[in-house]
Amino acid sequence: MRVHSIDDLEALYPGIASISKATWAKDTPVVNDAYRKLIERAPFFAIASIGPDGMDCSPRGDGPGSVHILKERRLAFPDRRGNNRLDTLRNIVRDPRVALLFLIPGWEECLRVNGQAYVTTENTLRERFSFKGMLPASVVVVDIDTMYFQCARAIKRAGLWDEASKQDRATLPTAGELVKSVIQDFEADAYDGALQERQSKTLY
């Protein structure tokens, strides 16, 4: 049966009546010393955005410390080279609402940030993210509305950081095969053959 109301939804979860105070009270709009450590150590996050053409959730990876804390309620990160679809940036320009989910390998909790974002080409900000003389085309700034850590249950259930959870790449489709599954005349082998070299030359 489809759930149509909040009352019906909450009736499915009687435990919410006894939910701990910390579950709600742990939200904060400020990057304190504890949350600073997490942001500075995270090499990966996903950013969700929304615009008139729909929603998007995009992975972002870089070395630890690649997300800069500009103020106690403001973060910034570079838009490194990608597929040039610009799905996230197109959404932010039209609707600033974003949600970020930070992951740190070996840490079973995760960090959630909700806020308002904008895209900037301000040179002083771009220069903060210079890599071997290369500057990002733009920087995304996020003003934090709220942030909090998510408990470890999901990552524990997934065994995300367990060695036994790793999949054999040979049993999964390649990038070229994934494109070919949609575009039948696509040259998957040629694409895959050049992929590693192309990516190594265009990471930044």
Side-chain angles (χ1 to χ4, degrees), residues 7-107:
D7 288 342
D8 289 344
L9 175 65
E10 292 183 348
L12 297 174
Y13 297 89
I16 65 172
S18 58
I19 194 169
S20 72
K21 179 180 178 181
T23 299
W24 295 112
K26 66 184 178 182
D27 291 39
T28 175
V30 174
V31 181
N32 58 31
D33 289 341
Y35 280 114
R36 176 180 292 273
K37 291 179 182 178
L38 301 179
I39 293 169
E40 291 178 344
R41 297 284 290 277
F44 176 88
F45 66 94
I47 178 169
S49 61
I50 187 169
D53 297 327
M55 300 182 67
D56 178 67
C57 186
S58 173
R60 300 293 171 123
D62 215 335
S66 60
V67 175
H68 290 196
I69 301 166
L70 303 183
K71 297 180 180 179
E72 64 178 12
R73 295 188 62 169
R74 179 171 291 174
L75 308 176
F77 59 88
D79 184 57
R80 300 296 191 196
R81 295 180 67 170
N83 57 19
N84 283 330
R85 286 176 53 121
L86 308 182
D87 294 318
T88 300
L89 303 187
R90 292 179 195 277
N91 278 351
I92 289 173
V93 167
R94 295 178 287 188
D95 188 326
R97 293 175 296 170
V98 295
L100 284 65
L101 179 70
F102 290 87
L103 296 176
I104 302 174
W107 187 59

